[in-house]
Amino acid sequence: MGLFDKFRRGLTKTANILKTDVRDLFKSEGRLIDDAFLDEMRAILFKTDMGYDSVSEIVDEVATKMRGRVVTLDDVVATWKTKLAELMAQEDAPIRFAESGPTVIMVCGVNGAGKTTSIAKLAHLLKSEGKRVVLGAGDTFRAAAVEQLKIWSDRLGVDIVTGDSGAHPASVAYRAVEQCLSTGADVCIVDTAGRLQTQKNLMAELTKIQQSIRKQIPAAPHEVLLVLDATTGQNGISQANSFTEAVDCTGIVLAKLDGTAKGGVVVAIRQQVGLPVKYVGVGEQPEDWALFSPDDFVDALFADVENSS
Ligand SMILES: Nc1nc2c(ncn2[C@@H]2O[C@H](COP(=O)(O)OP(=O)(O)O)[C@@H](O)[C@H]2O)c(=O)[nH]1
Ligand SMILES: [Mg+2]
């Protein structure tokens, strides 16, 4: 399945709502772009959780280009797409691998965001590219979390390092990196807990894990991915900001895009968080994972609207 199709699958709920609303916007063949139109358009885009600033920019663009003219659905949608892709533009942002020696990727985010599942998906992708992967079960806070990662490692056929119960996550991370180095593996992915008694403890623990990884590879972790749950919409943005205060995150994974009709949240994230969106999760299986591409994203978002016109 290509990227476009993965985005289509991930955006089914969002695209369905858009399709109905945009059809209503263009009940007749063409429409005059006036204040009434711009207000209706604003309300539609808002529903997708793109955020106030992004919506305003798109409305302004349409107003500047088209006010006073009678235009077709295709004209308007083309303008939305161009503007949206521009708002989300980012440098190509897949994993930055270490120049030599293993690459270490640390994965953080709140409880239930989709960290462990995303690790499985990333491990699956890297393995399919011929890389050898070691997983570090750094969420020692819940026994079930270690078990969940272990099941994935068996299913995917990748190595895993776990700790005894009560082990410190920093020591698990240390041993995972050690195993990666000693076996000549290419990538070590370290899972972390999503919730400790307080946010302060969580942040301190993430810092400790980072430090213990650096004891063996000073330039590591090469990536610190922050997993956000798309179904929580714009709440993810405040989470992103508090995580980036504590650890140097390098990119965002947006999980559960398929579970929300507010897929426009990606636009708000790109606008309000200074990090690239690297991957999106579009289901629960290892292959339900797509490299984020603004162009494919907007094409998929409006594919149904365009086909129905
Ligand atoms: N539909 C869907 N479900 C997901 C996705 N990613 C994770 N999940 C589900 O969300 C739940 C929590 O995920 P998990 O990886 O355990 O979260 P963690 O607590 O952050 O490690 C699980 O039931 C996953 O199957 C996704 O992209 N799409
Ligand atoms: Mg987990």
Side-chain angles (χ1 to χ4, degrees):
M1 200 189 278
L3 266 193
F4 171 74
D5 293 314
K6 287 195 176 171
F7 281 115
R8 274 207 74 156
R9 180 203 284 184
L11 286 166
T12 306
K13 291 186 180 176
T14 312
N16 274 342
I17 291 195
L18 265 176
K19 180 168 103 181
T20 314
D21 286 354
V22 176
R23 265 198 201 141
D24 286 349
L25 190 63
F26 281 90
K27 269 183 236 126
S28 53
E29 183 84 351
R31 260 196 81 174
L32 174 69
I33 305 297
D34 56 7
D35 285 344
F37 177 91
L38 293 170
D39 285 346
E40 282 172 51
M41 180 188 134
R42 191 192 317 271
I44 291 172
L45 295 176
F46 244 128
K47 269 201 208 169
T48 69
D49 233 15
M50 282 176 193
Y52 181 84
D53 292 342
S54 311
V55 173
S56 298
E57 291 214 31
I58 299 166
V59 173
D60 288 349
E61 176 89 358
V62 171
T64 309
K65 279 177 71 176
M66 301 176 164
R67 191 189 282 279
R69 281 169 47 198
V70 174
V71 300
T72 64
L73 182 154
D74 286 348
D75 295 333
V76 171
V77 169
T79 306
W80 290 359
K81 284 173 67 174
T82 308
K83 190 69 191 174
L84 277 168
E86 195 183 304
L87 289 174
M88 286 187 289
Q90 60 182 28
E91 282 180 33
D92 282 346
I95 300 301
R96 279 177 307 185
F97 291 100
E99 278 170 25
S100 64
T103 301
V104 182
I105 302 169
M106 191 173 143
V107 178
C108 58
V110 302
N111 213 25
K115 291 179 296 298
T116 305
T117 313
S118 295
I119 289 170
K121 292 170 177 176
L122 182 58
H124 175 67
L125 172 74
L126 295 171
K127 196 183 173 209
S128 77
E129 292 173 348
K131 297 196 164 62
R132 283 181 50 212
V133 179
V134 176
L135 305 179
D139 182 356
T140 56
F141 199 62
R142 294 179 307 138
V146 176
E147 193 50 34
Q148 186 190 358
L149 197 64
K150 218 165 167 302
I151 291 168
W152 278 120
S153 84
D154 288 343
R155 204 176 135 185
L156 299 171
V158 300
D159 286 354
I160 185 169
V161 171
T162 60
D164 299 331
S165 79
H168 195 283
S171 80
V172 175
Y174 186 90
R175 287 197 299 105
V177 173
E178 191 174 52
Q179 174 157 336
C180 196
L181 285 164
S182 69
T183 60
D186 304 293
V187 184
C188 180
I189 313 178
V190 179
D191 197 5
T192 65
R195 183 174 49 198
L196 294 175
Q197 293 84 342
T198 67
Q199 194 72 357
K200 230 172 125 196
N201 286 349
L202 170 60
M203 298 306 173
E205 179 172 296
L206 291 174
T207 309
K208 269 190 209 145
I209 295 173
Q210 216 166 11
Q211 287 163 349
S212 91
I213 291 171
R214 285 189 183 133
K215 277 185 200 150
Q216 291 169 93
I217 305 178
H222 304 85
E223 294 277 359
V224 179
L225 300 179
L226 173 62
V227 180
L228 298 178
D229 176 346
T231 64
T232 63
Q234 291 205 43
N235 288 340
I237 290 171
S238 56
Q239 278 168 29
N241 291 330
S242 61
F243 270 92
T244 46
E245 273 169 30
V247 276
D248 298 324
C249 297
T250 56
I252 288 173
V253 168
L254 189 65
K256 309 187 205 176
L257 190 59
D258 57 300
T260 178
K262 293 176 179 291
V265 71
V266 187
V267 188
I269 289 172
R270 282 296 301 132
Q271 286 291 288
Q272 294 172 50
V273 184
L275 291 171
V277 174
K278 300 214 170 195
Y279 293 99
V280 298
V282 295
E284 295 188 278
Q285 297 308 311
E287 52 283 354
D288 297 332
W289 179 249
L291 180 69
F292 182 66
S293 141
D295 290 325
D296 286 312
F297 180 87
V298 291
D299 283 344
L301 191 58
F302 295 106
D304 290 342
V305 172
E306 291 172 314
N307 290 338
S308 72
S309 68

